[in-house]
Amino acid sequence: MPVAITGLLTRKRLPPGGGAPGRYLRVAALVFCACGLAWLGTETVRAAWRVTNANAGDPSCVDVGQFARRHLPDNAVLLCEERRGDEHLTIMFYAGRTCYPLGRKGPDETARQILQAGGVPYVVSRQKLALAAVYVSDKPGPTIYLWREQPLSIAPPDVEDSPAR
């Protein structure tokens, strides 16, 4: 038999508990796991508390959603400018239409993709936009705009570039 295999077979084994180093390792792992579990439990309770205290019946979101459900086509897709991170979800719930949060770069790229897929993009914003307003809230709240691609503006030629006589 090779020496390596015989060494493994004849070597003394550690006691079943792994000795003192094994005990310390087990205690350290147990403490680490208990701390991690306590942290996860605390974060879960905090998240649940935030969700249950959220005003899911936000009147402006309800109004926008009800208008969208009643008056917008079934293939309408809402692009929402949000004040809170979950506002688009609330509007989507009441509207029965797909609703995406509006990114910082603006609605143009997403709206083009929606058009290519056969949808009709609408922008929901609290700001006044240079788009056709479809719904204006009588309360302080967002307005729904029909998104249209803006034509590129062509700058007039520079007069200074013409040759001087």
Side-chain angles (χ1 to χ4, degrees):
M1 238 191 250
V3 177
I5 295 176
T6 56
L8 287 175
L9 296 175
T10 60
R11 183 180 299 164
K12 281 188 169 178
R13 294 203 167 107
L14 291 174
R23 258 179 292 182
Y24 293 131
L25 187 60
R26 269 186 304 188
V27 169
L30 183 64
V31 168
F32 177 77
C33 289
C35 290
L37 196 58
W39 177 77
L40 284 174
T42 303
E43 290 301 311
T44 301
V45 168
R46 282 185 188 163
W49 189 267
R50 278 193 308 267
V51 167
T52 56
N53 283 338
N55 186 6
D58 182 4
S60 61
C61 292
V62 172
D63 292 343
V64 167
Q66 288 177 346
F67 176 85
R69 186 181 291 270
R70 291 184 190 135
H71 301 287
L72 297 183
D74 290 339
N75 63 342
V77 178
L78 304 173
L79 301 171
C80 297
E81 186 178 84
E82 299 180 302
R83 290 183 304 176
R84 300 182 325 263
D86 62 344
E87 196 168 23
H88 75 283
L89 297 173
T90 305
I91 291 174
M92 184 166 41
F93 175 78
Y94 288 109
R97 306 287 186 273
T98 302
C99 187
Y100 295 110
L102 192 57
R104 290 192 171 128
K105 60 185 174 180
D108 295 337
E109 184 179 329
T110 306
R112 285 187 197 100
Q113 291 174 351
I114 292 167
L115 284 172
Q116 288 174 353
V120 180
Y122 290 86
V123 178
V124 179
S125 176
R126 294 181 191 296
Q127 300 177 22
K128 186 136 178 88
L129 302 176
L131 297 170
V134 176
Y135 167 78
V136 179
S137 176
D138 54 346
K139 304 170 193 158
T143 301
I144 301 176
Y145 298 96
L146 176 61
W147 183 87
R148 293 280 184 218
E149 189 159 10
Q150 302 296 323
L152 295 173
S153 60
I154 300 173
D158 289 338
V159 178
E160 297 171 8
D161 290 341
S162 60
R165 294 184 189 216

